[in-house]
Amino acid sequence: MVAIIDYDAGNIKSVEKALFSLSEDAVVTRERDRILMADRIILPGVGSFGEAMKRIRGYGLEEVIKEAVEEKIPFLGICLGLQLLFERSEESEGISGLGILEGEIVKIPPKEGLKVPQIGWNSLNYPNKGKLFEGIPENSYVYFVHSYYLRAKDDSIVMATTEYGEQLHVSVQKDNVFACQFHPEKSSDVGLHILNNFIHIQKEGE
């Protein structure tokens, strides 16, 4: 069973629908016990970094998320859910992220002929071998909607990048924590393959 963390994020229903299409049981919840009893956890998200962190803290979810990560439950952040796992964002100065991973979220720099936000399909490159991308060839296309992107402190956790004016870090993996800047739930067969890879990742020790 997959717990989708409910903090009023905008893309919860599309994530839930994608999991159902894979015949995977999913529950949308903010209850501590249900989250910690799940086999896997997804932190979705669209919108503002600062507002999302306010809601996560308001619902008492920061401690639950950190406890789940410490318990080694496979954990996937999607879009804003990736950004929240890191320490800070230029979008919301003075508001700290979850700090589970090291790095910062920065604005996509303006360039002539480049629209910000990036909205649409872009291809993936793999600087490191990641479990989410098993069976998915390099240069596969996924769907993005974002104005800010990750600059990870440690390149070894970066499993996928894309080019949009410059190289962007768009997927990470460290121990049981995984995250994607793009939307696998909106990325057709490639995205479903990524989600299917995630739901078959085992908790450490199993």
Side-chain angles (χ1 to χ4, degrees):
M1 189 270 288
V2 179
I4 303 170
I5 296 177
D6 180 12
Y7 65 100
D8 303 326
N11 60 328
I12 285 178
K13 285 298 177 188
S14 57
V15 172
E16 183 182 33
K17 185 178 176 183
L19 292 171
F20 287 157
S21 77
L22 294 168
S23 302
E24 182 68 18
D25 290 332
V27 59
V28 176
T29 183
R30 62 177 68 113
E31 294 178 25
R32 176 185 177 277
D33 290 345
R34 296 190 84 182
I35 292 170
L36 294 177
M37 286 174 59
D39 299 303
R40 288 155 203 88
I41 299 166
I42 293 178
L43 178 67
V46 293
S48 158
F49 184 97
E51 284 303 311
M53 283 308 307
K54 250 187 246 182
R55 289 196 298 269
I56 283 172
R57 290 182 171 127
Y59 287 128
L61 289 167
E62 182 170 19
E63 295 77 12
V64 180
I65 290 168
K66 289 181 177 178
E67 190 174 347
V69 169
E70 287 173 9
E71 291 289 327
K72 302 297 184 185
I73 302 169
F75 191 101
L76 175 64
I78 293 177
C79 194
L80 181 61
L82 170 144
Q83 298 181 11
L84 300 173
L85 292 169
F86 288 85
E87 297 163 299
R88 69 189 70 83
S89 174
E90 287 183 352
E91 183 181 20
S92 305
E93 297 288 353
I95 297 178
S96 60
L98 294 166
I100 290 167
L101 300 173
E102 292 184 312
E104 61 180 349
I105 308 304
V106 298
K107 179 89 170 176
I108 296 174
K111 266 189 184 174
E112 190 175 347
L114 195 72
K115 292 183 178 179
V116 178
Q118 176 182 200
I119 301 176
W121 299 81
N122 208 341
S123 60
L124 297 174
N125 299 304
Y126 304 149
N128 297 294
K129 183 172 174 56
K131 292 180 181 178
L132 291 181
F133 303 103
E134 289 181 6
I136 300 171
E138 253 189 324
N139 300 313
S140 293
Y141 278 78
V142 291
Y143 188 78
F144 290 87
V145 183
H146 66 125
S147 299
Y148 293 82
Y149 74 97
L150 166 65
R151 190 181 286 153
K153 183 175 180 181
D154 179 3
D155 286 344
S156 73
I157 73 169
V158 178
M159 301 297 131
T161 63
T162 199
E163 297 294 327
Y164 198 70
E166 59 184 73
Q167 186 184 80
L168 312 184
H169 295 168
V170 297
S171 185
V172 296
Q173 172 187 323
K174 184 178 181 184
D175 301 326
N176 59 307
V177 178
F178 304 81
C180 303
Q181 178 60 64
F182 55 87
H183 287 273
E185 79 280 7
K186 296 180 180 178
S187 296
S188 193
D189 291 344
V190 170
L192 289 178
H193 194 148
I194 289 167
L195 288 173
N196 193 55
N197 283 343
F198 174 69
I199 63 181
H200 285 92
I201 290 168
Q202 297 299 310
K203 183 177 179 181
E204 276 186 28
E206 290 183 352

